[in-house]
Amino acid sequence: MFEKGNGTKLSTEYVEKIAKRLGLDLAALLKQVADEELKTATPPIVSVGFCPEPECPSNTAYAVAGRTFHKVTLQKGRYCAFCGEVLEPRCPACGSVLNEGACCSNCGAPYVK
Ligand SMILES: [Zn+2]
Ligand SMILES: [Zn+2]
């Protein structure tokens, strides 16, 4: 049995001591592990974006209360298949992941102006 006391704290100190002895930077190692976990957690991204050109046929214009919106089509790849424009992969206003429709559901900004 362990003696009374905080076993977790002791073992952390022990690990730190060993790391120091081995000349390892524990903080850097932990960051490396976290980075690797992040990498494996996110699958390879197939770039998806919308065409920022208001007159492009991939964007469907409609009006709400006198304001014109453009419902975007999310396209795979880097360039618009309709007009060759560079696709926007994220919300131009806040950088959020794109959603269906005409406006960002995170910040409310219209995608196409
Ligand atoms: Zn286009
Ligand atoms: Zn946004």
Side-chain angles (χ1 to χ4, degrees), residues 51 56 58 80 83:
C51 178
C56 178
S58 73
C80 176
C83 73

Side-chain angles (χ1 to χ4, degrees), residues 6 8 14 17 32 35-36 46 49 57 66 79 88 93-94 97 105:
N6 193 331
T8 314
Y14 187 64
K17 228 177 243 178
Q32 204 180 319
D35 284 351
E36 272 167 19
V46 179
Y79 297 94
E88 288 278 358
C94 75
V97 176
S105 63

Side-chain angles (χ1 to χ4, degrees), residues 51-53 56-59 75 80-85 87:
C51 178
E53 169 57 54
C56 178
S58 73
N59 298 319
Q75 304 182 51
C80 176
F82 295 84
C83 73
E85 189 65 56
L87 297 174

Side-chain angles (χ1 to χ4, degrees), residues 5-59:
N6 193 331
T8 314
K9 188 164 185 284
L10 275 176
S11 66
T12 306
E13 275 169 15
Y14 187 64
V15 168
E16 275 171 1
K17 228 177 243 178
I18 291 175
K20 212 173 218 179
R21 186 77 60 86
L22 292 171
L24 297 171
D25 186 345
L26 209 59
L29 275 176
L30 286 172
K31 194 185 175 301
Q32 204 180 319
V33 169
D35 284 351
E36 272 167 19
E37 273 176 7
L38 206 68
K39 252 182 243 165
T40 49
T42 41
I45 297 158
V46 179
S47 181
V48 172
F50 70 88
C51 178
E53 169 57 54
E55 289 177 26
C56 178
S58 73
N59 298 319

Side-chain angles (χ1 to χ4, degrees), residues 91-96 104-109 111:
C91 170
C94 75
S96 263
C104 173
S105 63
N106 184 57
C107 74
Y111 284 147

